[in-house]
Amino acid sequence: MKKMLMTLAAVAIAATMNAQDDWYGSKAGGFAITFNANPVLNYVGNMFNGTQNNSVAPFEGLDSDNLFGGTTITGKYFLEDNLAVVAGFGFNNKYNVTNNYGDNDDVEKVTDYSRATTTAFELLAGLEYRLQPGKRLQPIFGANFVFVHTNSWNYSTIVEGDGDGNYVYSGAPANKLGLMLNAGVEYFIVPQISVGANLDFALSKTWRHESYDSDPEVKNFSRITTKNTALETGNIGGNISLNFYF
């Protein structure tokens, strides 16, 4: 029994010493790739809480009113063990075409044509500073500039009996620029993989206008029906991430 206890103690001491020798994360000159885990967690969570209308919509992630969570892929390059430059991006593109045809005597003729498109992208650049580099648990602080552009627009054509047609264009482009500060923590599952959680605080400005054009004689011209600009504080969000270090 005594020998067994001594053996277990030796194993525990060896494991502790090996754990102390491990470096968690990257050192100066290393890099990391971060993925936004919020959509995955939401989807999996809905599978277990009885939600019947689970969808992949959260994976799109980009919204002109939201600076948080849209950047789906982020890269980090470590200038020092505790300091990294950060660059990230996210995008979303949806395209849908609807054709309405004539009666059975003229099945090849398109009488109504509609194309709905949503385009969006987000760019992020900044710095990240971490306490306790190399440890399993690392507090992190960062500052980033974030730019988001979104536009949902629809183009439709109605063909008249003589073959001529009128078209209608409607769109709602928006741009958002923000300075985002964040604070969080990462916990390393193994030396090269961690999960992270952080809170974000941002000052942002938004430019948005809605436009409409139904003039068949003046192509590429849109009448602005609504236009607004907003400078906002108090933007607060959160993010959960999965991180891989190299």
Side-chain angles (χ1 to χ4, degrees), residues 8-246:
L8 292 175
V11 171
I13 293 172
T16 301
M17 293 180 63
N18 289 334
Q20 291 174 349
D21 291 338
D22 284 337
W23 180 278
Y24 294 91
S26 296
K27 296 184 179 181
F31 63 96
I33 298 177
T34 294
F35 297 91
N36 180 1
N38 289 349
V40 177
L41 294 177
N42 288 337
Y43 193 90
V44 174
N46 287 339
M47 293 174 62
F48 289 96
N49 65 14
T51 300
Q52 300 298 317
N53 59 346
N54 208 356
S55 72
V56 296
F59 289 86
E60 296 167 1
L62 290 181
D63 181 350
S64 61
D65 294 319
N66 181 19
L67 288 174
F68 317 105
T71 303
T72 55
I73 302 175
T74 302
K76 304 176 184 180
Y77 177 77
F78 285 81
L79 302 173
E80 304 290 343
D81 292 349
N82 60 351
L83 181 65
V85 292
V86 178
F89 74 96
F91 65 89
N92 174 28
N93 183 268
K94 293 191 298 184
Y95 180 80
N96 183 65
V97 174
T98 301
N99 293 321
N100 293 322
Y101 294 89
D103 56 27
N104 291 333
D105 295 332
D106 194 6
V107 294
E108 299 297 328
K109 184 176 180 180
V110 177
T111 58
D112 296 279
Y113 166 87
S114 178
R115 183 175 68 186
T117 303
T118 298
T119 59
F121 67 87
E122 178 173 354
L123 301 174
L124 176 149
L127 292 172
E128 178 184 279
Y129 179 83
R130 57 184 61 210
L131 304 177
Q132 302 182 166
K135 303 297 184 182
R136 185 182 288 272
L137 187 67
Q138 300 180 22
I140 298 174
F141 302 92
N144 303 296
F145 283 104
V146 186
F147 175 76
V148 181
H149 170 80
T150 62
N151 187 16
S152 297
W153 57 276
N154 184 76
Y155 177 88
S156 61
T157 300
I158 301 176
V159 180
E160 306 295 343
D162 56 4
D164 295 329
N166 294 331
Y167 77 94
V168 174
Y169 165 85
S170 59
N175 297 296
K176 194 179 191 77
L177 179 65
L179 172 62
M180 186 163 62
L181 305 178
N182 58 71
V185 64
E186 283 186 23
Y187 178 80
F188 283 81
I189 305 169
V190 296
Q192 287 77 39
I193 301 175
S194 73
V195 291
N198 63 274
L199 291 176
D200 303 304
F201 310 88
L203 171 68
S204 65
K205 186 172 183 177
T206 303
W207 302 264
R208 178 188 289 108
H209 71 264
E210 296 181 9
S211 57
Y212 176 84
D213 181 13
S214 61
D215 189 341
E217 303 298 329
V218 186
K219 306 292 185 181
N220 301 319
F221 175 79
S222 295
R223 301 170 178 84
I224 297 176
T225 57
T226 303
K227 185 176 182 179
N228 60 69
T229 302
L231 180 65
E232 303 168 309
T233 59
N235 296 291
I236 301 176
N239 188 38
I240 299 175
S241 63
L242 183 61
N243 314 282
F244 299 88
Y245 289 82
F246 304 92

